[in-house]
Amino acid sequence: MPNKHAYPAITPRPHPELKRRAQEAVAEVGSTLNAHVIAFLEWLVGDTDELPERPEPKKLGPGE
């Protein structure tokens, strides 16, 4: 079946602002939330020592 996925879904439910910021962050590094969550889970269980890429921190100006 064309729309059948190989694995069952899991459903993280971040609050909307965190989800928005996460989507912006993965877009900055040319990735997706799904790819980043899987990469983090692989790091968490010890399959890799590499954390997924993240964008450079934003520099705040004076008074921010």
Side-chain angles (χ1 to χ4, degrees), residues 2 6 9-11 16 21 24 36 39-41 43-45 49 51-52 61 63:
I10 61 171
T11 310
R21 291 173 38 223
E24 288 176 3
H36 262 62
F40 176 76
L41 292 173
W43 171 83
L44 182 65
V45 300
D49 290 329
L51 281 168

Side-chain angles (χ1 to χ4, degrees), residues 21-60:
R21 291 173 38 223
Q23 288 172 321
E24 288 176 3
V26 296
E28 281 187 48
V29 297
S31 188
T32 65
L33 280 177
N34 188 61
H36 262 62
V37 168
I38 290 169
F40 176 76
L41 292 173
E42 290 171 339
W43 171 83
L44 182 65
V45 300
D47 289 351
T48 183
D49 290 329
E50 305 250 347
L51 281 168
E53 183 181 5
R54 67 179 185 183
E56 291 294 319
K58 306 253 187 298
K59 302 287 187 217
L60 297 179

Side-chain angles (χ1 to χ4, degrees), residues 13-21:
R13 298 179 198 274
H15 60 82
E17 177 63 11
L18 176 58
K19 180 180 178 184
R20 182 192 64 75
R21 291 173 38 223

